Amino acid sequence: ENPPLVLDRAVASSVSLQIFLFCGVWFDLFFALVEVLAGWAKLRWIQGTVMTALLCANYVLCFLLEPCRLYLGYAGNLGEKVPELFLFVFLCLGCIAILVTQLAMGSFLEELQPGICSFAPELPCIFTIEQACWIIRLALSLGELLLGVRALRKLIHEQSARFFVALDTEGAPFDDIAPWATDRNRPNLTGRGHNLERTQPEDRQGPLAQVYGRPASPQRLHAD
């Protein structure tokens, strides 16, 4: 039994991941503003190398890692590019590691307690709004990581399928396939309970595409 004919290709972009990325862009703008204002305020009373390193790590996260990660996520998901999406997943792991480390250090490390890291014991070294931003950013990063891995697996499967379809149809001109696809008397494309044998003129015979992944609409002819 011959496979059905598909002349269109499925979209491999993840809508859920794109929604998370869109929300992440707007939250990161707020996150960066909070870190800038908090750093400007705390520079007056913080002391110690640990607190300075933590402040620098926040700026690296806000102004270097997060923009690169979000750009790679947008480019990899919308452009269906495996390298960019793989780097996006890798940077998600790095950002999650930094956020978890900051939360753990702020809770358990003695050098970050107000009496040690601050000239004034009554002034905190880490504001409550900073910790709240870290927790929200951590939750968003975990969701983006899970959706990114899922989108990456789907994209690799889809592109592998397209590669094998291209091998199967290599050397066949599009004219050999299009007339059969636009024929109103063509056989059922679903392949459910029907024999998919095709009778065509000898000058119209040629290798046909196979179904890989999600079947597409036969109304949209695509010359991939």
Side-chain angles (χ1 to χ4, degrees):
E1 183 175 302
N2 294 323
L5 175 67
V6 174
L7 296 179
D8 199 2
R9 72 179 191 178
V11 177
S13 299
S14 173
V15 178
S16 301
L17 176 59
Q18 198 60 37
I19 293 175
F20 265 75
L21 292 174
F22 177 79
C23 296
V25 169
W26 288 103
F27 178 77
D28 279 346
L29 293 176
F30 173 75
F31 185 26
L33 179 62
V34 169
E35 290 297 337
V36 170
L37 295 178
W40 173 78
K42 291 187 297 185
L43 282 176
R44 305 173 185 180
W45 63 76
I46 60 173
Q47 62 179 351
T49 56
V50 177
M51 188 60 212
T52 304
L54 182 65
L55 189 62
C56 293
N58 283 329
Y59 289 146
V60 170
L61 178 65
C62 291
F63 298 105
L64 181 61
L65 294 181
E66 281 296 317
C68 293
R69 188 182 66 86
L70 292 174
Y71 169 77
L72 291 171
Y74 264 86
N77 188 42
L78 295 181
E80 300 184 6
K81 299 177 181 179
V82 173
E84 283 82 354
L85 204 54
F86 176 80
L87 290 175
F88 166 76
V89 172
F90 182 76
L91 285 181
C92 282
L93 294 174
C95 293
I96 289 173
I98 292 176
L99 291 170
V100 171
T101 303
Q102 288 179 339
L103 288 172
M105 290 174 61
S107 300
F108 304 107
L109 199 63
E110 293 184 359
E111 285 79 358
L112 294 180
Q113 302 307 317
I116 300 177
C117 66
S118 174
F119 290 110
E122 67 277 5
L123 296 177
C125 298
I126 300 176
F127 293 130
T128 304
I129 190 173
E130 286 186 281
Q131 292 182 329
C133 288
W134 294 347
I135 294 173
I136 296 174
R137 181 67 265 178
L138 178 60
L140 288 174
S141 298
L142 287 173
E144 290 166 358
L145 175 62
L146 296 177
L147 293 174
V149 171
R150 180 182 176 185
L152 182 61
R153 293 181 59 186
K154 179 182 178 182
L155 182 58
I156 292 175
H157 172 76
E158 193 71 28
Q159 290 193 353
S160 300
R162 294 172 192 171
F163 173 75
F164 289 112
V165 167
L167 290 181
D168 292 341
T169 60
E170 186 177 1
F174 184 70
D175 292 339
D176 288 347
I177 302 176
W180 185 87
T182 56
D183 185 7
R184 294 181 178 273
N185 298 322
R186 63 181 181 273
N188 192 319
L189 295 179
T190 61
R192 297 177 180 177
H194 296 277
N195 188 359
L196 297 175
E197 294 182 358
R198 295 177 281 270
T199 59
Q200 302 180 38
E202 294 182 359
D203 58 338
R204 291 298 183 186
Q205 292 181 357
L208 300 176
Q210 299 180 1
V211 170
Y212 290 91
R214 184 177 61 189
S217 172
Q219 300 295 332
R220 297 172 53 198
L221 300 180
H222 206 75
D224 274 0

